[in-house]
Amino acid sequence: QVQLTESGGGLVQAGGSLRLSCATSGRSFSSTAMGWFRQAPGKEREFVARINWSGGITSYADSVKGRFTISRDNAKNTVDLQMNSLKPEDTAVYYCAPYLGAAWRTWNHWGQGTQVTVSS
């Protein structure tokens, strides 16, 4: 059974940092592009960052570019998101999932997510 478990969220002041981690199990994602996504209260889930299977190619939403860094360790089956210079508008529940291109919203095995709250 596919399982994605996000961790590392918390409450942080604006300008602070957090490192999120996603543990995958149930099947191998080592050959799959992975992504981080977030959903703020009252808003749709949105793309944050993605990384290709080898970790050599990454891309980010404009809102987080230069502040967030996505990485992966295929030996450990983990995908991390380092978040620096956090802003109140980064407050959301963060999820990891396979990056399916324009169809990423069709993924139907979302984990519980991890809450990130940035205070001003």
Side-chain angles (χ1 to χ4, degrees):
Q1 183 176 353
V2 173
Q3 190 165 1
L4 301 165
T5 306
E6 301 90 351
S7 63
L11 173 63
V12 63
Q13 289 188 333
S17 298
L18 283 173
R19 188 176 183 88
L20 307 184
S21 186
C22 171
T24 68
S25 64
R27 55 157 277 197
S28 174
F29 290 93
S30 61
S31 61
T32 304
M34 296 293 293
W36 279 94
F37 308 86
R38 68 186 182 186
Q39 187 165 16
K43 296 187 177 181
E44 290 189 354
R45 193 166 299 182
E46 64 177 2
F47 163 78
V48 174
R50 67 178 175 101
I51 188 166
N52 78 325
W53 69 273
S54 68
I57 300 174
T58 59
S59 65
Y60 301 88
D62 288 344
S63 58
V64 307
K65 201 172 295 183
R67 301 187 296 121
F68 290 12
T69 302
I70 188 171
S71 61
R72 68 188 299 163
D73 185 333
N74 287 337
K76 296 181 179 179
N77 297 318
T78 58
V79 181
D80 290 352
L81 185 69
Q82 177 67 43
M83 306 187 297
N84 299 328
S85 302
L86 283 161
K87 305 176 180 180
E89 51 264 44
D90 294 318
T91 295
V93 179
Y94 284 71
Y95 304 87
C96 71
Y99 183 77
L100 307 176
W104 65 262
R105 288 182 180 83
T106 64
W107 177 253
N108 58 7
H109 294 287
W110 296 94
Q112 297 278 50
T114 186
Q115 175 72 48
V116 171
T117 303
V118 184
S119 63
S120 57

